[in-house]
Amino acid sequence: MLNPADLPNDIAALKALLLAQDEVVEGLREQLNTRAIDIEHLKLQIAKLRRMQFGRKSEKLDHQIEQLELQLEDLQADEAEAAREMPAADRAPRKKSVRRPLPDHLPRDEKVYAPTADACPACGGGLRPLGEDVAEQLEFVPASFRVIRHVRPKLACVCCDAIVQEPAPSRPIERGIAGPGLLAHILVAKFADHLPLYRQAVIYAREGVDLDRALLASWVGAASALLRPLVDAVRRHVLAASKLHADDTPIPVLAPGNGKTKTARLWTYVRDDRPAGDSTPPAVWFAYTPDSKGIHPQTHLAKFEGVLQADAYAGFNALFDDGTIREAACWAHARRKSHDLHAARATPLTTEALRRIAELYLIESEIRGKPPDERRQVRQTLSRPLLDDLERWLRSMLDTLSHKSDTAAAILYALKLWPALLRCCAIATTAPSRSITLRPNAPCVAWPSAAAITCSPAPTAAASAPPRSTR
């Protein structure tokens, strides 16, 4: 802002100064508008890439997303800087997001700034409490290392010279110097925050603590062995369910010897009956494999009996052959085919398909958490007519399309899985639908306790957060 004392007295000079200031303000305004457009464009690009992220070549998409996220951060920082440089009177009114209150669980350090005067500075009268103004500020206290000294005094008997001493407390790693909190921090940083061990070593060195990568790697290995009983307990709990949700996620791993990466798989098995009104604790078991061969889920679920909800991956097919495991397909995967076509180029057909599926989602949202019998009754009454009509409509649309089109492929995908999609809704079928079935001999039975299309989010969220698999 200009200081009035520095302003010229000449009118022509003042006019020139105002014109120059107007040009600066207009330039800043154009920069803000350009950055706002760029920010929205980047957000759309990131959202699109996130929908594509878990398919083929996901490693390249991860890199693109990271680069776009960095560009978005820079643009938002530049936008904030430009807004601060603009004179307050010339700042356009901007819609600000509502500030959420700071979490209640955070500890509060209270600093009181009491007036130093004992008497009124205006008249010298006495002062009495009137109230207070409170403003909260979020602060970060950096983590710090601490050495815990375990001291075990020794006592000797005055009669027989026997020595009495408390046993040493157990350690996560035998004779290791790492405490449980440090091990947990290292594991979370590596596997949840994707911070490699060599970078962690550099961070710790800034604190004056020398922990080289080899030592950290040995701790990670020891912690893995330490957690094995817990992993086995989670696996037993998950596989004891009568219904599972399975999916896999491609992950890049280093290929030994050549420094390149290869695509491995992280298999996810979820037990969660809360939508069915069950109070059993939900859990998820992860299993890593170096590839995506079907023998892996077949081995993982060799002793499982019940309903398996998954995508149409062929590796699951052998599990359904003897009827011990019954298939329930995923509506979110079926819906995604139409949604992706609609996002690319909306047509009356894709609009109608999404509208019909949204009606099913709405019914599920209203009965989620109800007992199985009640939910089954509602589905038979409300969902079954919609599903029968949807199947007839899909088949009629398929007859009008070229079988080589993407729209026809999306419809055919749903029709191939139709008996399994009905089982996902716990609606019995008496016979396979025409000849278009994934496995014509698969038994189509009712399963009242099947999930309420569990891996399908609400219609508004499904578009932005589909399940991770793309098959």
Side-chain angles (χ1 to χ4, degrees):
M1 296 295 293
L2 293 176
N3 187 348
D6 298 331
L7 294 176
N9 294 323
D10 183 62
I11 295 179
L14 282 173
K15 289 181 177 180
L17 185 62
L18 287 175
L19 289 175
Q21 187 176 13
D22 288 343
E23 291 179 358
V24 172
V25 170
E26 187 61 29
L28 288 173
R29 184 175 288 112
E30 290 180 0
Q31 291 181 26
L32 286 173
N33 292 336
T34 302
R35 289 193 176 98
I37 295 173
D38 292 341
I39 287 173
E40 291 303 317
H41 180 66
L42 279 176
K43 287 182 178 179
L44 290 174
Q45 282 187 287
I46 292 171
K48 180 180 179 181
L49 288 175
R50 288 196 184 282
R51 290 197 297 269
M52 302 165 53
Q53 186 176 10
F54 302 103
R56 291 183 177 180
K57 300 181 181 179
S58 61
E59 184 180 358
K60 293 183 179 180
L61 288 177
D62 289 340
H63 180 70
Q64 293 181 38
I65 291 175
E66 290 175 0
Q67 295 302 312
L68 290 177
E69 292 279 14
L70 291 175
Q71 293 181 34
L72 179 60
E73 292 174 5
D74 291 341
L75 280 174
Q76 290 174 329
D78 291 343
E79 182 186 34
E81 182 180 359
R84 290 179 64 89
E85 292 178 355
M86 181 175 291
D90 296 301
R91 294 176 189 172
R94 300 179 60 197
K95 182 179 179 181
K96 295 184 178 180
S97 58
V98 178
R99 179 179 295 177
R100 290 177 290 183
L102 298 178
D104 293 334
H105 69 274
L106 296 180
R108 259 69 175 174
D109 293 336
E110 190 169 284
K111 295 184 178 181
V112 180
Y113 303 92
T116 57
D118 296 330
C120 175
C123 67
L127 299 175
R128 58 182 176 83
L130 179 62
E132 60 185 10
D133 292 331
V134 178
E136 291 190 334
Q137 182 182 35
L138 186 64
E139 186 58 278
F140 176 74
V141 179
S144 60
F145 286 96
R146 179 172 297 183
V147 177
I148 307 299
R149 301 181 69 243
H150 299 277
V151 181
R152 297 186 296 133
K154 295 181 180 180
L155 302 178
C157 177
V158 296
C159 298
C160 64
D161 293 334
I163 298 177
V164 178
Q165 187 182 33
E166 284 296 303
S170 63
R171 300 192 178 197
I173 301 175
E174 187 176 359
R175 294 188 299 274
I177 64 172
L182 177 58
L183 286 177
H185 177 76
I186 292 172
L187 294 175
V188 170
K190 176 175 173 58
F191 295 108
D193 300 332
H194 308 289
L195 191 62
L197 295 179
Y198 75 90
R199 292 183 180 175
Q200 293 191 50
V202 174
I203 294 173
Y204 303 149
R206 289 202 299 264
E207 299 292 329
V209 179
D210 185 15
L211 300 174
D212 60 57
R213 179 169 55 180
L215 177 61
L216 296 177
S218 67
W219 287 354
V220 170
S224 177
L226 183 68
L227 294 172
R228 175 55 54 186
L230 177 60
V231 174
D232 292 340
V234 172
R235 176 181 56 82
R236 290 192 299 268
H237 173 71
V238 169
L239 297 183
S242 59
K243 176 181 79 285
L244 288 182
H245 311 277
D247 207 346
D248 69 291
T249 298
I251 54 174
V253 296
L254 286 176
N258 56 14
K260 298 181 180 180
T261 61
K262 62 179 182 178
T263 302
R265 280 297 190 278
L266 196 62
W267 302 87
T268 308
Y269 301 97
V270 180
R271 173 181 184 172
D272 188 359
D273 282 331
R274 290 175 297 179
D278 192 356
S279 59
T280 303
V284 56
W285 172 50
F286 295 95
Y288 167 84
T289 61
D291 52 54
S292 60
K293 295 180 180 178
I295 188 63
H296 300 307
Q298 296 164 23
T299 302
H300 299 155
L301 303 177
K303 297 182 179 180
F304 172 70
E305 297 181 4
V307 168
L308 177 66
Q309 186 175 29
D311 58 10
Y313 173 46
F316 292 115
N317 291 359
L319 293 168
F320 309 124
D321 288 342
D322 60 359
T324 303
I325 300 178
R326 292 165 291 279
E327 180 189 16
C330 174
W331 273 96
H333 285 84
R335 179 188 181 275
R336 185 189 306 163
K337 302 289 184 180
S338 297
H339 171 267
D340 290 346
L341 292 173
H342 186 79
R345 185 172 63 87
T347 64
L349 194 151
T350 58
T351 302
E352 179 64 13
L354 293 177
R355 184 194 67 79
R356 288 172 177 265
I357 297 176
E359 291 180 340
L360 296 171
Y361 275 68
L362 181 60
I363 296 174
E364 293 300 325
S365 65
E366 293 175 350
I367 63 176
R368 184 170 289 115
K370 300 293 181 64
D373 292 341
E374 181 179 345
R375 293 161 62 243
R376 176 177 171 80
Q377 181 180 0
V378 173
R379 286 167 172 167
Q380 290 285 8
T381 304
L382 301 179
S383 300
R384 185 54 187 263
L386 296 177
L387 286 164
D388 291 342
D389 189 49
L390 175 59
E391 182 184 13
R392 288 191 295 269
W393 180 78
L394 288 175
R395 293 190 181 283
S396 66
M397 292 296 102
L398 184 62
D399 293 338
T400 64
L401 297 171
S402 169
H403 280 246
K404 294 183 179 180
S405 67
D406 293 335
T407 305
I411 294 177
L412 193 60
Y413 176 89
L415 291 178
K416 284 183 177 181
L417 294 174
W418 199 254
L421 287 171
L422 292 181
R423 190 175 297 116
C424 176
C425 295
I427 295 175
T429 58
T430 56
S433 301
R434 276 185 173 183
S435 60
I436 305 179
T437 56
L438 188 61
R439 281 167 294 283
N441 298 325
C444 299
V445 298
W447 194 254
S449 62
I453 317 183
T454 304
C455 64
S456 300
T460 55
S464 58
R468 297 174 70 87
S469 176
T470 58
R471 285 191 295 268

